[in-house]
């Protein structure tokens, strides 16, 4: 086998491969004989069909199949010989028999050579935070608000009330799309509507009909409404006052605290809040570290890997938006995912190099701790742990997560890290 390698552009390579034509011709003859042995044809017993008839009927298809398999086989032999690492499937040009040789070309991309810059030059700001007693108290209040009781009232609309109304929006006297609703319920102070809308409802009672005027923000998502002044005809149907439940034993038991004690509820809340906070802090530190890593290490990425990542992101998006009907959705365009896909590919290549050059292996203790932390969010953590340990693919995914975390930790250990203290609310409710 003769092989010549050419760099065409960037990470793209072209292999020109030539093998003895006689070997390919022999494979074609053998393939024809194999078909003849199993072919059923009127007038001939099975296995007695002449090869010449098989050649006449199926010759071109058999030859194409043999050549395709030969190109695949010799391509892989060539990349082993040339010590190449393809980043995707090759594009094979149809082979030709020329001067006693079977010649073809294979075009493909290779993985880039990654050289990491010194991690000591990276400057990373690491945020720290703790769950304070006031944060736990605020969470108790949040739980109360989630179980608020609504009582119909004849008073005027005010903060924390719930208003139910019909509305019709107009701009320059003309109705606009999405500006109409009936029986719409709105908790005053929730911030669900554009600025000024909720305040304009205050002071009105059920049964009133009135018009309010508001201005859409300049950064509003609908281009045709940005900065526009709109009027809304309102028909206020109902006003309800909120009544928060008492934090008594019955309320506390709603959250699985059988003792009915407030102290036990707060202890459980603190544990969950600390777990979520630690996950968020770890996630934020990881994201900032990766951003600095990308900034300090510019690399080329194989287009084939980006295309593969785009397909994966698109599938995830369609599953998220479409659920069981995902297959019936129109295909989302590549442009929606290309930037994110390229970033993810770069991160994967850089972290892969960190792991390889530092010979990192998933630490068993870290793996165990990570799984226990993950399982602690479920009612029966032992079953979750057993489930992961008994499913090879899930366990491998978990090992990859831990390995990635170890790579991040290694980078942070060597980088210039400064700390910034923030509150629980600042971290969790950005």
């Amino acid at each position: 086998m003769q092989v010549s390698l050419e760099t065409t552009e960037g990470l793209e390579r072209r292999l020109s491969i030539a093998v003895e034509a006689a070997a390919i011709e022999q494979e074609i003859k053998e393939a024809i004989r194999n078909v003849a042995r199993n072919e059923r044809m009127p007038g001939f017993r099975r296995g007695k069909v002449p090869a010449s008839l098989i050649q006449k009927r199926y010759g071109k298809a058999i030859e194409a199949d043999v050549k395709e398999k030969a190109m695949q086989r010799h391509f892989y032999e060539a990349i082993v010989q040339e010590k190449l690492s393809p980043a995707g499937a090759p594009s094979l040009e149809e082979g030709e028999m020329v001067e006693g040789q079977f010649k073809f070309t294979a075009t493909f991309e290779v993985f880039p050579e990654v050289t990491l810059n010194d991690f000591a030059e990276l400057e990373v700001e690491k945020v720290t935070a703790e769950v304070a007693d006031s944060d736990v108290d605020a969470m108790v209040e949040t739980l109360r608000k989630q179980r608020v009781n609504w009582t119909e009232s004849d008073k005027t609309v005010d903060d924390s009330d719930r208003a139910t109304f019909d509305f019709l929006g107009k701009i320059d006297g003309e109705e606009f799309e999405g500006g109409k609703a009936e029986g719409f319920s709105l908790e005053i102070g929730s911030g669900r509507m554009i600025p000024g809308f909720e305040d304009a409802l205050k002071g009105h009672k059920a049964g009133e009909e009135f018009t309010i005027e508001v201005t859409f923000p300049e950064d509003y998502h609908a281009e045709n409404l940005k900065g526009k002044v709109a009027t809304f005809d309102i028909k206020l149907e109902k006003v309800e006052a909120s009544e928060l439940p008492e934090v008594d034993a019955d309320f506390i038991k709603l959250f699985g605290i059988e003792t009915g004690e407030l102290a036990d509820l707060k202890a459980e809340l603190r544990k969950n809040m600390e777990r979520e906070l630690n996950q968020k802090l770890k996630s934020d530190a990881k994201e900032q570290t990766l951003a600095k890593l990308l900034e300090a290490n510019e690399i080329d990425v194989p287009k084939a890997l980006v295309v593969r990542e785009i397909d994966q992101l698109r599938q995830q998006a369609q599953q998220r938006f479409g659920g069981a009907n995902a297959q019936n959705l129109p295909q989302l365009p590549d442009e929606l995912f290309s930037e994110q896909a390229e970033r993810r590919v770069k991160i994967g290549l850089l972290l892969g190099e960190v792991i390889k050059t530092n010979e990192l292996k998933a630490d068993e203790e870290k793996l165990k701790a990570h799984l226990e932390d993950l399982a602690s969010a479920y009612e029966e953590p032992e079953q979750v742990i057993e489930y992961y340990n008994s499913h090879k693919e899930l366990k491998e995914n978990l090992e990859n997560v831990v390995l990635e975390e170890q790579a991040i930790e290694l980078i942070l250990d060597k980088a210039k890290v400064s700390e910034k203290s923030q509150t629980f609310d600042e971290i969790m409710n950005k």
Side-chain angles (χ1 to χ4, degrees), residues 271-314:
K271 184 178 71 173
N272 293 335
M273 292 166 71
E274 286 176 346
R275 183 181 64 249
E276 292 175 9
L277 176 62
N278 290 334
Q279 289 174 347
K280 187 68 167 64
L281 290 173
K282 185 183 291 186
S283 174
D284 288 353
K286 173 184 174 181
E287 185 57 34
Q288 191 186 161
T289 303
L290 291 175
K292 295 292 184 179
L293 186 67
L294 285 169
E295 188 180 306
N297 297 275
E298 184 59 41
I299 59 171
D300 291 331
V301 294
K303 295 175 185 175
L305 295 186
V306 175
V307 168
R308 191 184 308 163
E309 194 67 32
I310 286 173
D311 286 340
Q312 187 173 7
L313 288 170
R314 177 165 39 230

Side-chain angles (χ1 to χ4, degrees), residues 174-368:
E174 297 290 330
E175 296 181 25
F176 58 88
E177 187 178 353
K180 181 180 180 180
E182 294 181 354
F184 185 81
S185 289
L186 175 67
E187 186 176 341
I188 307 303
S190 63
R192 287 174 58 197
M193 308 299 280
I194 59 176
F197 193 104
E198 294 179 21
D199 286 338
L201 297 178
K202 294 178 183 178
H204 292 281
K205 289 185 175 184
E208 292 185 21
E209 296 186 25
F210 52 94
T211 300
I212 65 174
E213 184 178 288
V214 292
T215 303
F216 282 93
E218 293 291 343
D219 60 352
Y220 195 68
H221 61 84
E223 193 68 34
N224 63 317
L225 299 178
K226 288 182 177 179
K228 296 291 181 66
V229 176
T231 61
F232 285 87
D233 297 331
I234 307 291
K235 182 180 179 181
L236 188 54
E237 297 178 352
K238 183 169 59 175
V239 178
E240 295 170 286
S242 62
E243 183 182 349
L244 296 177
E246 292 294 326
V247 184
D248 54 19
D250 289 338
F251 175 81
I252 292 168
K253 288 179 179 179
L254 292 174
F255 304 97
I257 308 300
E258 294 303 322
T259 64
E261 295 292 333
L262 179 58
D264 293 338
L265 173 63
K266 287 186 174 182
E268 184 67 19
L269 289 175
R270 180 181 290 275
K271 184 178 71 173
N272 293 335
M273 292 166 71
E274 286 176 346
R275 183 181 64 249
E276 292 175 9
L277 176 62
N278 290 334
Q279 289 174 347
K280 187 68 167 64
L281 290 173
K282 185 183 291 186
S283 174
D284 288 353
K286 173 184 174 181
E287 185 57 34
Q288 191 186 161
T289 303
L290 291 175
K292 295 292 184 179
L293 186 67
L294 285 169
E295 188 180 306
N297 297 275
E298 184 59 41
I299 59 171
D300 291 331
V301 294
K303 295 175 185 175
L305 295 186
V306 175
V307 168
R308 191 184 308 163
E309 194 67 32
I310 286 173
D311 286 340
Q312 187 173 7
L313 288 170
R314 177 165 39 230
Q315 288 175 16
Q316 291 171 356
Q318 298 208 181
Q319 286 292 336
R320 190 162 59 248
F321 297 137
N325 298 316
Q327 298 299 323
N328 299 325
L329 292 176
Q331 178 150 306
L332 298 169
D334 289 1
E335 292 74 20
L336 285 176
F337 311 102
S338 55
E339 185 176 342
Q340 184 186 2
E342 184 170 334
R343 186 178 189 273
R344 286 175 59 156
V345 170
K346 285 182 178 181
I347 287 171
L349 292 171
L350 290 171
L351 286 181
E353 188 64 21
V354 173
I355 292 167
K356 185 178 76 173
T357 55
N358 292 279
E359 299 180 346
L360 297 180
K361 303 290 182 185
D363 183 272
E364 285 298 324
E365 289 302 315
K366 290 181 183 291
L367 186 61
K368 182 180 177 182

Side-chain angles (χ1 to χ4, degrees), residues 391-401:
H391 287 74
K392 183 179 178 182
E393 186 177 348
L394 286 176
K395 192 169 183 180
E396 286 177 352
N397 289 340
L398 203 61
E399 287 173 353
N400 290 334
V401 170

Side-chain angles (χ1 to χ4, degrees), residues 6-129:
E6 176 188 359
T7 298
T8 53
E9 180 183 4
L11 298 173
E12 189 177 84
R13 303 289 184 270
R14 180 182 292 125
L15 281 174
S16 297
I17 302 171
V19 297
E20 292 296 323
I24 304 299
E25 289 169 351
Q26 183 60 37
E27 288 182 33
I28 294 171
K29 290 178 182 178
E30 183 60 32
I32 290 173
R33 283 196 291 269
N34 285 337
V35 172
R37 292 189 191 103
N38 298 288
E39 183 69 9
R40 293 182 181 276
M41 193 175 290
F44 298 95
R45 286 183 296 154
R46 184 173 180 175
K48 298 299 182 179
V49 180
S52 58
L53 287 180
I54 298 298
Q55 171 69 44
K56 184 176 180 181
R57 178 173 290 189
Y58 305 117
K60 289 185 178 180
I62 293 172
E63 181 178 339
D65 182 60
V66 169
K67 286 181 177 180
E68 176 68 23
K69 290 177 180 176
M71 287 191 290
Q72 291 282 355
R73 184 174 68 252
H74 290 297
F75 166 72
Y76 287 110
E77 290 174 0
I79 62 174
V80 171
Q81 176 181 309
E82 299 296 317
K83 298 179 180 178
L84 297 170
S85 181
S91 172
L92 300 172
E93 294 186 18
E94 188 175 351
E96 296 180 320
M97 299 290 193
V98 181
E99 297 177 352
Q101 290 186 315
F102 175 62
K103 296 182 177 181
F104 68 96
T105 61
T107 305
F108 56 97
E109 289 178 294
V110 295
F111 284 94
E113 291 185 11
V114 180
T115 303
L116 297 167
N117 290 317
D118 190 356
F119 298 147
E121 298 300 315
L122 301 182
E123 296 182 4
V124 179
E125 185 179 72
K126 192 174 181 181
V127 176
T128 62

